[in-house]
Amino acid sequence: MNTLARVRDVLRRDRTFNHTIVEENSFLQGSHSVHHNTLDTSHGPVLYLENVSVSFDGFQALNKLSLYIDDGELRCIIGPNGAGKTTMMDVITGKTRPDTGLVYFGQTMDLTQMAEHDIATAGIGRKFQKPTIFPEHSVWENLELAMKTDKGVWHTLFTVLNAEQKARIEEVMLIIGLQKHCYARANLLSHGQKQWLEIGMLLMQDPRVLLVDEPVAGMTHQEMDRTAELLTSLAGKHSVVVVEHDMDFVRSIANQVTVLHEGSVLAEGTMDEVQHNQKVIEVYLGE
Amino acid sequence: MIINRFFPQFMHQDTGGKWLLSLLALVTIIVIVLNFLIPLLLPELSVLHMSNYMVTLLGKYLCLALLAIALDLVWGYCGILSLGHAAFFALGGYAMGMYLMRQIGDRGVYGNPELPDFMVFLNWHELPWYWSGFESFAFTALMILLVPGLLAYVFGWMTFRSRVTGVYLSIMTQALTYALMLAFFRNEMGLGGNNGLTDFKDILGFSLQSDGTRIIIFTLSAIALATGYIASRFIVESKLGKIVVAIRDAELRTRFIGYKVEDFKLWIFVFSAMLAGVAGALYVPQVGIINPGEFSPLNSIELAIWVAIGGRGTLFGAVIGALLVNYAKTYFTGALPEFWLFALGTLFIVSTLYLPKGIVGLFEGFQNKLKEKTA
């Protein structure tokens, strides 16, 4: 055998080496997890949940939940305790990973593959049930920290606020009505003010979708009215998803209501339709 | 305020820090004047000469204060209670110790120009690979930062990524320092076993026993403490510092407004470890020995006590705590040795019960009361 033949033998074209085989899995994942930084809402909805199931130690928190949120809409989600409202938010924000199902932000971003901070930067802001703010920071600093900007470690070490960013903080401060308390430490604020501050922090992130968990819990009536005003004014520019127990409040803001029960959608429609829905009445009032 | 001219912009609000650094500068100048200028110019006034013991003791305190700042950064500001921080201090110390061992040359007991005494004693014939490079001071200086930094990076990367927090993290840091102590106790480590590294002679060609060298090392310690303090103050006043406090107070919130919490924890942890390494490196030439006892878990716990007593989350509180407790320790271990641990325990209990914010908190309380009265 001459040299050429020997080389040919080694490099036979019908032989496949393991490392040359593209793993099926990685190939699939590659096409799934392409998340471009631009949000594609060309088909209408900004948020897709399809057949999402989550169970904790045998408890089915979400059961084939499918839900679509349109760009710019204000949606209220109601449901009895344990219906899966908070779990749904956990799934969207990446805190909990679904057992099965698809969760997409726009057409391209697969939220089940993204880390919490990536989801937040991509444009999904979340307000927790219990007002969660930075107690030792001033109102101003709370807003400053939430601001949409480079959130890398080295950048934050040397950054200083520019005029535009200061203007943005002042603007949001006006929207949430806390300009008088600008330099007050956040844990000195009243409960309602803390809720607003947290909403303000979401606004600073400039998100496309705001997930708001029980915004009026523990608020006085005046505060509730102001919150309703605030949330309705935000819809249009942002999609707002509100989880709430207080029916009067829901009636005052929502045109579209989704009722969750035992981890899936029970009914969907306007508040009136939903209230007269037989299944909803059964769930809420019992047989 | 005229005093502000001497300090960078970000320290103008930091009254405690300004006092501290001014005092530090004053003490350093006094030491230099008493022990260097007066003997040189007016030898008849040598009564004022401070003993070498005093200078070294003060220098030691300054190193420990720098270590306390390092812990305060991660504990007081980021909420990570590291109970293994003395390990980074000891690693920095060992790096310096290795350099000082190489400086001995053939003046050791066995007169071997290449090998330190303990290796000759163990019948070793050549230097292990990890000793190479330590004959150079520049290399050593790099290692003083890199070795503690790298350990902190690897440890932090694994723990913060798995979201280990609170007591579990503290226990793991204790295990880390304990494991290192056991490893360094072994003769096979090639780092002197339980005797550690000692019998140092020179640093950069200057005798460690001479007055001049001692004053220079003392001054360097003061400079390191001041630089460490200013750098740490810069960090906590920056946006990064605010984020770190935000992580301490509401980690989940920080994550959901888009910060990668692990990165921030890791950054501050590595920085703190490097600071501790520098403190250890300056400590070793002053005490003249480094041994595995420095890795003892007790040291790290004691360190946490200094910070708690001084007032965590204030930086200068940590310094005050370190100086005060160590002065008390020197006094008690001299006067009433058997009472020291009782005194330390009492101090800790009193400070947790009555001074939740440490000694600094006490002063702030007084200040607020004064303000109320005048208002």
Side-chain angles (χ1 to χ4, degrees), chain B residues 172-196:
Chain B
M172 283 173 74
T173 53
Q174 277 266 285
L176 175 77
T177 191
Y178 191 66
L180 281 170
M181 179 177 77
L182 294 183
F184 275 71
F185 262 126
R186 295 165 63 245
N187 278 330
E188 297 78 26
M189 254 322 248
L191 289 164
N194 63 346
N195 294 318

Side-chain angles (χ1 to χ4, degrees), chain A residues 22-34:
Chain A
V22 180
E23 267 178 54
E24 217 172 316
N25 225 350
S26 74
F27 192 69
L28 263 181
Q29 279 199 340
S31 65
H32 259 269
S33 62
V34 227

Side-chain angles (χ1 to χ4, degrees), chain B residues 236-248:
Chain B
V236 301
E237 293 295 326
S238 74
K239 191 175 177 189
L240 186 144
K242 289 178 196 166
I243 295 162
V244 161
V245 173
I247 291 173
R248 178 192 74 189

